[in-house]
């Protein structure tokens, strides 16, 4: 059954990988199998949801985006040094992390990539018949899925924006760790190489993942297509984004009727890792940090104003916090950590945007109405009607309403700022001082942790 939550019963062990070259990761590689050698062992490594699904990179994107503000100056002042990096990220400071600060995004990502590489390296050493079996190809493809997803998430934080056919691709990309050998020096690839590698991994997965995974912690064919649609949309390859969103939708999706959601609960969605939520195609969540908790966050008034009469998302997603603030509580995690996985609603929005950009306006609106029927009070739902020139704007506003705090707003700002009609200046005010993030600023690319730069000598991102 797809909704079964995997419980790994393999005996636990500890494997610490270390070398002078591995220090660039600034992590310890804790692996659940001491000496993996079988397909079951390698699958068990990937089933370590605490590493492979929870704590996904994206904290800096959440902190830098325009979907929230700090509730008041007193909340800002009371943070203390333990959360100083969050304050610096909130105002897009030149320096984010002190030497002793832990960069959750970087560390968790490269730990996950190391596990995926261990699996792939191990599979390469297995007998050909076993490695090339259906089960072997499934395990290898799952490892490549995790690796590609993680590199994509990292690229949204530590790389400049990359657009297919419009960027030369020679900007600084990521250190691409393609194998588990920690003695290989780490250098930054180009942007083009970074995206080519992740897309190659995803292409390799086609035809090798199950049609339906046994758990939402595991990728399957539909989740693969959803991720490919996300990546292609981000690089403005709209034909491919449409194709893969369409493929995923054609496999059948379930939308959750918000008329049936109990908004009276503290957290309206169950904390079961998407098991009972048919919209969840692949479960993943980000870290939770102090600035985004129920006592600190104030949802942006601009975002709240986008929800119209009868839109149930406003009451389901948001509620009053402990300091009189309005905070986001609508994560499909069922608690404070933000769900950043893959879901059915995103597919509707990707396909609708591609249709609108291709001037298929009526089809785009029909698709949006399919989604909106599940988001509005039944008696207040009205089908969309508007001039063609307003359709794309409505699609983008609907994307912001639906995908709020799902880990995509920072990426959307980067993508849309390259189009003059969608550029946006973000202003944050602390006391009497304003902090401004200009469209296409270097500050849309976060600095790599300084201790990584010091250890490896790789180039730092300009601020």
């Amino acid at each position: 059954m797809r909704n079964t939550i995997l419980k790994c019963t393999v005996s636990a062990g500890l494997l610490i990988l270390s070398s002078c070259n591995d220090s660039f990761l600034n992590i310890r590689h804790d692996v659940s199998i001491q000496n993996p050698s079988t397909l079951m062992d390698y699958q068990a490594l990937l089933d370590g949801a605490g590493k492979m699904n929870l704590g996904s990179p994206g904290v800096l994107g959440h902190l830098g985006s325009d979907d929230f503000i700090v509730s008041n100056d007193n909340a800002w002042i009371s943070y203390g040094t333990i959360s100083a990096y969050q304050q610096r990220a909130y105002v897009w400071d030149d320096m984010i992390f002190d030497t002793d600060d832990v960069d959750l995004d970087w560390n968790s990502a490269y730990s996950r990539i190391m596990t995926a590489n261990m699996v792939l390296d191990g599979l390469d050493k297995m007998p050909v018949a076993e490695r090339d079996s259906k089960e072997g190809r499934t395990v290898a493809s799952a490892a490549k899925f995790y690796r590609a997803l993680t590199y994509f998430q990292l690229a949204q934080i530590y790389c400049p924006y990359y657009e297919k056919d419009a960027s030369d691709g020679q900007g600084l990309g990521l250190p691409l760790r393609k194998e588990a050998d920690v003695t290989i020096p780490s250098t930054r690839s180009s942007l083009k190489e970074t995206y080519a590698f992740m897309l190659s991994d995803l292409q390799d997965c086609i035809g090798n993942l199950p049609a339906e995974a046994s758990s939402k912690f595991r990728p399957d064919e539909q989740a693969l297509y959803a991720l490919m649609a996300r990546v292609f949309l981000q690089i403005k390859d709209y034909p491919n984004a449409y194709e893969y969103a369409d493929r995923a939708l054609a496999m059948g999706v379930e939308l959750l009727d918000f008329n049936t959601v109990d908004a009276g609960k503290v957290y309206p969605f169950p904390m079961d890792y998407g098991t009972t939520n048919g919209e969840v195609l692949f479960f993943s969540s980000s870290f939770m940090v102090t600035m985004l908790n129920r006592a600190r966050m104030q949802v942006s008034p601009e975002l709240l104003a986008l929800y119209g009469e009868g839109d149930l998302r406003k009451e389901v997603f948001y509620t009053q916090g402990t300091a009189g603030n309005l905070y986001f509580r609508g994560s499909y995690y069922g608690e404070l950590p933000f769900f950043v996985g893959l879901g059915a609603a995103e597919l509707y929005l990707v396909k609708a945007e591609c249709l609108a950009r291709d001037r298929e306006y009526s089809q785009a609106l029909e698709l949006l109405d399919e989604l909106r029927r599940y988001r509005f009070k039944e008696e207040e739902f009205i089908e969309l009607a508007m001039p063609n020139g307003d359709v794309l704007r409505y699609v983008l506003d609907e994307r912001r309403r639906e995908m709020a705090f799902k880990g995509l707003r920072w990426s959307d700002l980067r993508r849309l700022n390259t189009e003059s009609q969608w550029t946006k200046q973000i202003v944050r005010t602390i006391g009497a001082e304003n902090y401004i993030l200009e469209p296409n600023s270097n500050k849309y690319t976060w600095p790599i942790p300084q201790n990584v730069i010091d250890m490896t000598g790789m180039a730092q991102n300009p601020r």
Side-chain angles (χ1 to χ4, degrees), residues 98-211:
D98 286 329
T99 303
D100 295 334
D101 287 332
V102 175
D103 185 344
L104 298 174
D105 290 333
W106 185 273
N107 292 357
S108 66
Y110 276 103
S111 177
R112 184 177 298 175
I113 289 166
M114 173 61 75
T115 299
N117 285 337
M118 287 180 61
V119 170
L120 291 167
D121 287 358
L123 290 172
D124 282 343
K125 298 173 184 176
M126 296 185 73
V128 174
E130 194 170 3
R131 181 187 66 210
D132 292 345
S133 67
K134 181 179 180 180
E135 184 181 3
R137 287 184 283 111
T138 296
V139 175
S141 295
K144 289 186 176 183
F145 176 96
Y146 282 111
R147 188 168 68 178
L149 170 60
T150 307
Y151 276 130
F152 177 73
Q153 291 168 329
L154 283 170
Q156 308 318 300
I157 303 170
Y158 302 107
C159 295
Y161 177 70
Y162 174 72
E163 179 178 337
K164 180 181 178 290
D165 299 330
S167 303
D168 62 16
Q170 298 309 304
L172 289 172
L174 295 167
L176 293 177
R177 304 297 297 190
K178 301 179 182 181
E179 53 279 300
D181 183 354
V182 297
T183 67
I184 298 174
S186 298
T187 58
R188 295 188 72 172
S189 66
S190 69
L191 261 179
K192 186 174 184 179
E193 290 168 338
T194 295
Y195 278 87
F197 184 62
M198 70 177 77
L199 286 170
S200 175
D201 266 356
L202 294 175
Q203 289 288 343
D204 287 348
C205 294
I206 295 177
N208 293 315
L209 288 170

Side-chain angles (χ1 to χ4, degrees), residues 394-448:
Y394 191 92
V395 171
L396 296 176
D397 284 347
E398 183 68 7
R399 180 176 173 87
R400 192 172 180 197
R401 284 186 285 267
E402 178 67 33
M403 303 307 293
F405 299 99
K406 290 184 173 69
L408 296 179
R409 180 56 183 167
W410 185 253
S411 298
D412 283 348
L413 285 165
R414 286 158 52 98
R415 175 170 66 97
L416 296 173
N417 273 334
T418 63
E419 302 173 35
S420 59
Q421 66 270 42
W422 312 122
T423 57
K424 183 177 183 182
Q425 181 191 73
I426 306 175
V427 181
R428 284 175 167 163
T429 302
I430 305 295
E433 189 166 359
N434 289 330
Y435 300 85
I436 300 173
L437 180 63
E438 297 287 358
N440 304 307
S441 166
N442 282 341
K443 294 190 174 183
Y444 271 104
T445 304
W446 298 93
I448 289 174

Side-chain angles (χ1 to χ4, degrees), residues 14-31 33-36 45 51 110-111 113-115 117-119 121 177 179-183:
L14 181 65
L15 177 63
I16 305 299
L17 304 177
S18 63
S19 83
C20 57
N21 288 306
D22 187 40
S23 61
F24 94 101
L25 297 174
N26 190 30
I27 57 173
R28 289 166 64 89
H29 305 293
D30 297 331
V31 181
I33 306 298
Q34 189 168 14
N35 294 300
L45 291 179
K51 174 180 289 187
Y110 276 103
S111 177
I113 289 166
M114 173 61 75
T115 299
N117 285 337
M118 287 180 61
V119 170
D121 287 358
R177 304 297 297 190
E179 53 279 300
D181 183 354
V182 297
T183 67

Side-chain angles (χ1 to χ4, degrees), residues 164 203 228-229 232-233 237-246 354:
K164 180 181 178 290
Q203 289 288 343
M228 294 180 77
F232 281 122
L233 184 77
D237 185 344
Y238 296 118
N240 271 318
Y242 177 93
E243 177 183 346
Y244 287 104
D246 189 57
C354 294

